[in-house]
């Protein structure tokens, strides 16, 4: 590709979001988003939990806790969802 190296990761994520298909080894947060988008909320929750376990920054942890809670709620796991949404 003719893109500068600095732009390639962003382009890969944008392509995955637009096409709904990620590459092998894609970030767990992206995989969670893609799974949630197609209605596989249980898989999305698993991916978001993986991403949360590796998230060092408080802001990212908050965003992932919300995404995880949303995915759990959509999967019908309301008690689990409540635990993530109050964090």
């Amino acid at each position: 590709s003719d893109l500068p190296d600095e732009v390639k990761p962003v382009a890969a994520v944008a392509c995955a979001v637009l096409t709904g298909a990620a590459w092998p080894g894609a970030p767990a947060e992206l995989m969670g988003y893609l799974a949630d988008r197609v209605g596989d909320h249980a898989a999305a929750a698993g991916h978001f939990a993986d991403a949360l376990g590796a998230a060092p920054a408080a802001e990212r942890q908050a965003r992932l806790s919300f995404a995880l809670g949303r995915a759990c709620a959509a999967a019908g796991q309301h008690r689990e969802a409540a635990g993530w949404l109050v964090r």
Side-chain angles (χ1 to χ4, degrees):
S1 140
D2 294 338
L3 295 173
D5 288 342
E6 299 83 8
V7 177
K8 287 180 183 179
V10 175
V13 170
C15 184
V17 169
L18 292 172
T19 65
W23 61 95
E29 185 173 2
L30 174 62
M31 297 301 292
Y33 170 78
L34 295 175
D36 199 43
R37 192 168 83 178
V38 297
D40 191 350
H41 306 297
H47 290 300
F48 288 137
D50 290 344
L52 182 60
E59 295 85 3
R60 187 162 184 223
Q61 291 173 0
R63 183 179 71 242
L64 289 166
S65 291
F66 178 76
L68 180 52
R70 241 184 94 252
C72 288
Q77 301 170 342
H78 300 292
R79 179 169 279 135
E80 180 79 11
W84 290 110
L85 293 172
V86 298
R87 290 179 187 244

